[in-house]
Amino acid sequence: MNKLTHFDDNGQAHMVNVGDKPNTHRIAIATGTITMLPETFQLIEMGAHKKGDVLGIARIAGIQASKRTSDLIPLCHPLALSHVSLEFKLNKEESSIRCQVRAETTGPTGVEMEALTAVQVALLTIYDMCKAVDRGMVMGDIKLLEKSGGKSGEWKAA
């Protein structure tokens, strides 16, 4: 097992030095799901929510969050993202919405945290917009699906 990189030899937290790492094209794909009451799902699916286009607003929120990840996660490097996309898949049988984010950059460090942050904030935005009709929504199964680029190369979830 590799050692934790955010601690120095004395056990003190620090920002990892990526100054000597080469710039490579990096991609991360993350996902998560929010489950709700069938009535809430129907409001979103039909675009009938009085607050407007829930998924459109959640998409913008996720993109914004990806760009602000280093402001939220203390030891993350600020990145110049070259691309962020969010896709929502609606599952009527389970009254759930799956959010998948693809984040890309060319740089010395990966974009996993940006993709994961975008997923979380997009799901939180759905919750926020719908909590007046369904406070019991559940967010979960948030995870990295794959990443590429950098010294460690390709990785895919089992």
Side-chain angles (χ1 to χ4, degrees):
M1 179 181 271
N2 295 333
K3 69 177 191 148
L4 297 174
T5 58
H6 286 92
F7 295 96
D8 65 18
D9 293 337
N10 298 318
Q12 301 296 311
H14 72 105
M15 187 179 221
V16 175
N17 184 350
V18 298
D20 293 333
K21 292 172 76 177
N23 286 340
T24 61
H25 183 232
R26 296 165 182 267
I27 300 170
I29 300 172
T31 189
T33 302
I34 186 166
T35 305
M36 61 202 66
L37 294 172
E39 298 81 10
T40 309
F41 181 86
Q42 187 175 15
L43 283 174
I44 295 170
E45 182 181 42
M46 295 175 60
H49 196 290
K50 68 179 183 178
K51 289 187 178 181
D53 179 7
V54 173
L55 299 182
I57 294 167
R59 180 175 290 107
I60 296 300
I63 292 169
Q64 282 184 308
S66 70
K67 298 188 297 182
R68 302 297 300 267
T69 299
S70 65
D71 292 335
L72 300 168
I73 311 297
L75 300 176
C76 278
H77 294 84
L79 300 181
L81 295 168
S82 56
H83 178 77
V84 177
S85 62
L86 278 81
E87 179 182 316
F88 295 104
K89 291 191 178 170
L90 283 69
N91 183 326
K92 191 171 192 148
E93 293 74 36
E94 296 180 7
S95 297
S96 67
I97 300 171
R98 181 173 173 243
C99 175
Q100 183 168 302
V101 174
R102 178 185 177 102
E104 297 184 46
T105 191
T106 298
T109 192
V111 290
E112 295 96 319
M113 294 306 298
E114 287 71 16
L116 287 162
T117 299
V119 167
Q120 300 263 5
V121 171
L123 296 178
L124 284 167
T125 300
I126 293 169
Y127 185 95
D128 181 52
M129 292 188 71
C130 298
K131 69 182 183 281
V133 295
D134 186 358
R135 294 195 190 278
M137 291 175 279
V138 176
M139 292 164 274
D141 201 27
I142 296 160
K143 61 187 174 188
L144 183 67
L145 292 178
E146 60 185 88
K147 61 80 67 188
S148 65
K151 187 170 90 173
S152 62
E154 304 273 331
W155 179 88
K156 289 190 180 192

